[in-house]
Amino acid sequence: MANESGQQQDIDRAGFLLTLRQRGIGDQAVLRAMEQVPRAAFVPTGSLTGAYADQALPIDCGQSISQPYVVAYMTERLALKPHHRVLEVGTGSGYQAAILSKLVREVVGIERYRTLADQARERLKAGGYNNVEVIHADGMDGWPDRAPYDRILVTAAADEAPAALIEQLADDGVMIMPRGPHNGPQHIVKLAKRQTPESVTLDEERLIAVRFVPLLAGKAREL
Protein backbone atom coordinates (compact mmCIF):
# COMPACT_ATOMS: atom_id res chain seq x y z
CA MET A 1 0.00 0.00 0.00
CA ALA A 2 2.84 2.37 0.89
CA ASN A 3 4.49 1.59 -2.45
CA GLU A 4 1.28 2.39 -4.30
CA SER A 5 1.05 5.69 -2.44
CA GLY A 6 4.62 6.53 -3.42
CA GLN A 7 3.97 5.68 -7.06
CA GLN A 8 0.88 7.89 -7.06
CA GLN A 9 2.90 10.78 -5.61
CA ASP A 10 5.48 10.34 -8.38
CA ILE A 11 2.68 10.56 -10.97
CA ASP A 12 1.22 13.61 -9.23
CA ARG A 13 4.62 15.34 -9.12
CA ALA A 14 5.15 14.78 -12.85
CA GLY A 15 1.77 16.37 -13.58
CA PHE A 16 2.56 19.17 -11.12
CA LEU A 17 5.70 20.15 -13.06
CA LEU A 18 3.91 19.90 -16.40
CA THR A 19 1.22 22.26 -15.11
CA LEU A 20 3.85 24.83 -14.09
CA ARG A 21 5.42 24.72 -17.56
CA GLN A 22 2.04 24.96 -19.28
CA ARG A 23 1.17 28.01 -17.20
CA GLY A 24 4.31 29.82 -18.32
CA ILE A 25 7.00 29.09 -15.73
CA GLY A 26 10.13 28.97 -17.87
CA ASP A 27 13.07 29.56 -15.50
CA GLN A 28 14.86 26.20 -15.43
CA ALA A 29 16.44 26.84 -12.04
CA VAL A 30 13.02 27.56 -10.53
CA LEU A 31 11.54 24.44 -12.14
CA ARG A 32 14.41 22.33 -10.77
CA ALA A 33 13.83 23.72 -7.29
CA MET A 34 10.10 22.98 -7.55
CA GLU A 35 10.99 19.43 -8.61
CA GLN A 36 13.57 18.90 -5.87
CA VAL A 37 11.45 20.12 -2.95
CA PRO A 38 8.66 17.64 -2.07
CA ARG A 39 5.54 19.70 -1.33
CA ALA A 40 4.10 16.66 0.45
CA ALA A 41 6.65 17.20 3.24
CA PHE A 42 5.15 20.63 4.00
CA VAL A 43 1.40 19.98 3.97
CA PRO A 44 -0.69 18.58 6.85
CA THR A 45 -1.20 14.82 6.87
CA GLY A 46 -4.88 15.23 6.06
CA SER A 47 -4.04 17.09 2.84
CA LEU A 48 -1.47 14.67 1.42
CA THR A 49 -3.76 13.51 -1.38
CA GLY A 50 -3.82 17.08 -2.70
CA ALA A 51 -0.15 17.84 -2.07
CA TYR A 52 0.65 18.23 -5.77
CA ALA A 53 -2.61 19.81 -6.88
CA ASP A 54 -2.28 23.38 -8.13
CA GLN A 55 -4.20 24.85 -5.24
CA ALA A 56 -3.61 26.46 -1.85
CA LEU A 57 -4.07 24.21 1.17
CA PRO A 58 -4.91 25.08 4.80
CA ILE A 59 -2.28 24.78 7.52
CA ASP A 60 -2.37 25.53 11.25
CA CYS A 61 -3.22 28.94 12.76
CA GLY A 62 -5.74 29.73 10.01
CA GLN A 63 -2.99 30.18 7.41
CA SER A 64 -2.33 28.40 4.11
CA ILE A 65 0.42 26.97 1.92
CA SER A 66 0.28 28.84 -1.36
CA GLN A 67 -0.74 27.40 -4.70
CA PRO A 68 2.37 25.92 -6.43
CA TYR A 69 1.96 28.12 -9.49
CA VAL A 70 1.96 31.25 -7.31
CA VAL A 71 5.06 30.01 -5.43
CA ALA A 72 6.87 29.41 -8.72
CA TYR A 73 5.64 32.68 -10.25
CA MET A 74 6.74 34.85 -7.32
CA THR A 75 10.07 33.04 -7.14
CA GLU A 76 10.68 33.52 -10.85
CA ARG A 77 9.90 37.25 -10.66
CA LEU A 78 12.55 37.70 -7.95
CA ALA A 79 15.26 36.98 -10.57
CA LEU A 80 17.41 35.23 -7.99
CA LYS A 81 21.19 34.79 -8.14
CA PRO A 82 23.23 32.21 -6.18
CA HIS A 83 24.95 34.90 -4.06
CA HIS A 84 21.71 36.53 -2.88
CA ARG A 85 20.48 36.86 0.68
CA VAL A 86 16.67 36.72 0.76
CA LEU A 87 14.22 37.81 3.45
CA GLU A 88 10.91 35.95 3.39
CA VAL A 89 8.06 37.47 5.40
CA GLY A 90 5.38 34.91 6.29
CA THR A 91 7.22 31.59 6.31
CA GLY A 92 4.13 29.51 7.12
CA SER A 93 4.79 25.84 6.40
CA GLY A 94 8.35 26.49 5.22
CA TYR A 95 7.69 25.38 1.64
CA GLN A 96 8.51 28.68 -0.06
CA ALA A 97 11.66 29.02 2.06
CA ALA A 98 12.77 25.54 0.94
CA ILE A 99 12.31 26.53 -2.71
CA LEU A 100 14.33 29.71 -2.16
CA SER A 101 17.09 27.78 -0.39
CA LYS A 102 17.82 25.86 -3.58
CA LEU A 103 18.45 29.08 -5.48
CA VAL A 104 20.33 31.45 -3.16
CA ARG A 105 23.09 31.62 -0.58
CA GLU A 106 20.96 32.45 2.46
CA VAL A 107 17.28 32.71 3.42
CA VAL A 108 15.94 34.46 6.51
CA GLY A 109 12.30 33.59 7.16
CA ILE A 110 10.02 35.47 9.56
CA GLU A 111 6.82 33.96 10.94
CA ARG A 112 4.49 35.66 13.45
CA TYR A 113 2.95 32.38 14.70
CA ARG A 114 5.28 30.45 17.01
CA THR A 115 3.58 27.14 16.14
CA LEU A 116 4.24 27.64 12.43
CA ALA A 117 7.78 28.91 13.02
CA ASP A 118 8.64 25.84 15.10
CA GLN A 119 7.05 23.46 12.58
CA ALA A 120 8.78 25.09 9.62
CA ARG A 121 12.12 25.00 11.41
CA GLU A 122 11.75 21.27 12.08
CA ARG A 123 10.69 20.47 8.51
CA LEU A 124 13.53 22.47 7.01
CA LYS A 125 16.09 20.87 9.32
CA ALA A 126 14.76 17.39 8.50
CA GLY A 127 14.96 18.16 4.79
CA GLY A 128 18.55 19.40 4.98
CA TYR A 129 17.77 23.01 4.03
CA ASN A 130 20.68 24.28 6.06
CA ASN A 131 20.90 27.78 4.60
CA VAL A 132 17.49 28.82 6.00
CA GLU A 133 16.96 30.48 9.38
CA VAL A 134 13.36 30.80 10.64
CA ILE A 135 12.69 33.53 13.19
CA HIS A 136 9.53 34.03 15.27
CA ALA A 137 9.03 37.79 14.93
CA ASP A 138 6.88 40.61 13.55
CA GLY A 139 7.25 40.50 9.78
CA MET A 140 6.33 44.18 9.44
CA ASP A 141 9.63 44.98 11.17
CA GLY A 142 11.71 42.72 8.95
CA TRP A 143 14.95 41.52 10.50
CA PRO A 144 17.48 44.39 10.49
CA ASP A 145 20.28 42.29 12.02
CA ARG A 146 20.90 40.61 8.65
CA ALA A 147 20.06 43.51 6.33
CA PRO A 148 20.49 44.55 3.62
CA TYR A 149 18.66 41.89 1.61
CA ASP A 150 19.14 41.46 -2.12
CA ARG A 151 15.57 40.26 -2.40
CA ILE A 152 12.49 40.35 -0.15
CA LEU A 153 9.46 38.12 -0.64
CA VAL A 154 6.28 38.88 1.29
CA THR A 155 3.64 36.14 1.34
CA ALA A 156 0.77 38.11 2.89
CA ALA A 157 -1.13 41.07 1.47
CA ALA A 158 -0.87 44.70 2.54
CA ASP A 159 -2.06 48.01 1.12
CA GLU A 160 1.51 49.32 1.07
CA ALA A 161 4.98 47.89 1.46
CA PRO A 162 6.10 48.26 5.11
CA ALA A 163 8.66 51.04 5.53
CA ALA A 164 11.03 48.78 7.49
CA LEU A 165 11.18 46.31 4.61
CA ILE A 166 11.92 49.04 2.08
CA GLU A 167 14.73 50.29 4.31
CA GLN A 168 16.22 46.78 4.61
CA LEU A 169 16.11 46.14 0.87
CA ALA A 170 19.50 46.63 -0.79
CA ASP A 171 20.03 49.28 -3.42
CA ASP A 172 18.93 47.77 -6.74
CA GLY A 173 17.11 45.10 -4.70
CA VAL A 174 13.71 43.68 -5.59
CA MET A 175 10.69 43.05 -3.39
CA ILE A 176 7.78 40.88 -4.50
CA MET A 177 4.55 41.06 -2.51
CA PRO A 178 0.76 40.90 -2.86
CA ARG A 179 -0.82 44.32 -2.55
CA GLY A 180 -4.42 45.18 -1.86
CA PRO A 181 -7.11 45.11 0.85
CA HIS A 182 -8.10 41.92 2.66
CA ASN A 183 -11.61 41.90 1.18
CA GLY A 184 -10.82 43.58 -2.12
CA PRO A 185 -8.74 43.06 -5.28
CA GLN A 186 -5.12 42.07 -4.75
CA HIS A 187 -2.22 41.88 -7.20
CA ILE A 188 1.34 40.73 -6.92
CA VAL A 189 3.62 43.72 -7.36
CA LYS A 190 7.32 43.92 -8.11
CA LEU A 191 9.12 46.79 -6.40
CA ALA A 192 12.65 47.68 -7.54
CA LYS A 193 14.60 49.98 -5.22
CA ARG A 194 16.71 52.80 -6.62
CA GLN A 195 18.71 54.80 -4.10
CA THR A 196 20.71 57.99 -4.55
CA PRO A 197 22.28 60.28 -1.95
CA GLU A 198 19.20 62.51 -2.28
CA SER A 199 16.31 60.02 -2.40
CA VAL A 200 14.97 56.51 -2.51
CA THR A 201 12.54 55.53 -5.25
CA LEU A 202 10.58 52.35 -5.89
CA ASP A 203 9.78 51.37 -9.45
CA GLU A 204 6.53 49.42 -9.29
CA GLU A 205 5.20 46.82 -11.73
CA ARG A 206 1.76 45.29 -11.18
CA LEU A 207 1.55 41.62 -12.05
CA ILE A 208 -1.13 38.93 -11.66
CA ALA A 209 -4.28 38.99 -9.54
CA VAL A 210 -4.07 36.84 -6.38
CA ARG A 211 -5.72 36.19 -3.04
CA PHE A 212 -3.57 36.14 0.12
CA VAL A 213 -4.16 36.35 3.86
CA PRO A 214 -3.50 39.84 5.30
CA LEU A 215 -0.10 40.94 6.57
CA LEU A 216 -0.59 41.64 10.28
CA ALA A 217 1.58 43.52 12.73
CA GLY A 218 3.02 41.95 15.88
CA LYS A 219 3.68 38.42 17.01
CA ALA A 220 0.55 36.30 17.26
CA ARG A 221 -0.73 35.62 20.77
CA GLU A 222 -1.63 32.02 20.10
CA LEU A 223 1.14 29.47 20.27
Side-chain angles (χ1 to χ4, degrees):
M1 196 71 170
N3 188 45
E4 289 181 7
S5 176
Q7 289 176 345
Q8 184 58 50
Q9 280 202 10
D10 288 343
I11 293 170
D12 292 345
R13 288 180 77 175
F16 160 89
L17 291 167
L18 179 60
T19 297
L20 295 179
R21 291 188 176 96
Q22 288 175 336
R23 296 197 64 184
I25 304 301
D27 186 309
Q28 293 306 306
V30 172
L31 287 167
R32 278 195 302 273
M34 298 293 290
E35 181 177 20
Q36 291 168 352
V37 176
R39 192 171 186 245
F42 294 88
V43 304
T45 304
S47 298
L48 283 176
T49 55
Y52 295 103
D54 194 24
Q55 62 187 31
L57 294 171
I59 58 175
D60 288 343
C61 303
Q63 303 302 293
S64 62
I65 177 172
S66 294
Q67 175 186 358
Y69 170 70
V70 173
V71 171
Y73 182 89
M74 294 177 79
T75 303
E76 190 173 58
R77 292 308 177 278
L78 283 170
L80 298 168
K81 303 296 182 185
H83 66 274
H84 282 166
R85 175 187 293 135
V86 178
L87 176 67
E88 182 205 20
V89 176
T91 297
S93 70
Y95 178 63
Q96 175 74 78
I99 298 294
L100 295 172
S101 79
K102 295 290 186 180
L103 299 164
V104 300
R105 174 173 59 91
E106 181 182 359
V107 180
V108 177
I110 299 179
E111 175 51 57
R112 72 187 299 266
Y113 291 97
R114 184 181 298 278
T115 295
L116 295 181
D118 290 345
Q119 290 174 353
R121 202 176 291 117
E122 290 173 8
R123 290 187 187 107
L124 291 162
K125 181 180 179 181
Y129 306 99
N130 298 320
N131 60 339
V132 182
E133 180 179 3
V134 179
I135 299 163
H136 175 226
D138 181 351
M140 300 278 270
D141 294 336
W143 194 249
D145 290 359
R146 305 288 276 280
Y149 300 96
D150 302 291
R151 300 289 187 267
I152 297 179
L153 178 63
V154 183
T155 61
D159 288 329
E160 299 294 338
L165 300 186
I166 295 172
E167 183 177 345
Q168 292 167 37
L169 185 63
D171 186 23
D172 292 327
V174 171
M175 184 188 312
I176 299 287
M177 67 175 292
R179 281 255 306 264
H182 175 46
N183 293 316
Q186 299 175 2
H187 288 81
I188 291 174
V189 297
K190 177 179 179 179
L191 304 171
K193 184 176 180 179
R194 304 285 179 261
Q195 188 165 346
T196 69
E198 294 79 27
S199 65
V200 174
T201 60
L202 288 177
D203 297 330
E204 179 176 328
E205 180 182 1
R206 192 166 83 161
L207 305 172
I208 61 172
V210 288
R211 172 58 56 191
F212 275 81
V213 296
L215 180 64
L216 301 174
K219 293 183 184 179
R221 290 185 180 180
E222 74 176 274
L223 298 177

